Amino acid sequence: MFKARLKPSEQGTLERRYEFHVSEAVRATLLGDDEKAAGHSATALEISRQLYASARDPARHRPDLAAALAGNARYQRVL
């Protein structure tokens, strides 16, 4: 099966977007906005899946994917 590889600049952009959405999910949780937190968490999860699927070394992104899955499950349970 062919897996599309990301260009280094695309990978860096996705990694920065992932970090942004994770931090915004945490910030929204601290402010008590569970709906906003769930939205940012879902976006972070989708980006994490993209990074994992397109990586030459998926093990590098496995901890982020696991954290995104766990975080998203927590936010979905709150809603």
Side-chain angles (χ1 to χ4, degrees):
M1 176 186 214
F2 175 74
K3 290 186 346 183
R5 301 278 184 229
L6 295 173
K7 294 178 185 174
S9 62
E10 293 171 336
Q11 173 121 6
T13 299
L14 278 179
E15 288 173 354
R16 285 188 300 279
R17 286 185 59 221
Y18 169 78
E19 292 296 329
F20 168 79
H21 286 289
V22 168
S23 64
E24 287 300 306
V26 170
R27 183 187 327 262
T29 299
L30 293 174
L31 294 174
D33 191 346
D34 294 329
E35 191 172 319
K36 186 174 182 180
H40 282 292
S41 177
T43 302
L45 176 58
E46 180 58 34
I47 293 169
S48 181
R49 286 179 173 155
Q50 290 174 5
L51 287 168
Y52 184 81
S54 64
R56 290 185 191 271
D57 180 19
R60 177 176 172 231
H61 295 286
R62 193 172 293 140
D64 289 337
L65 179 57
L69 284 166
N72 194 53
R74 179 176 46 246
Y75 293 122
Q76 295 304 317
R77 193 170 351 132
V78 169
L79 291 178

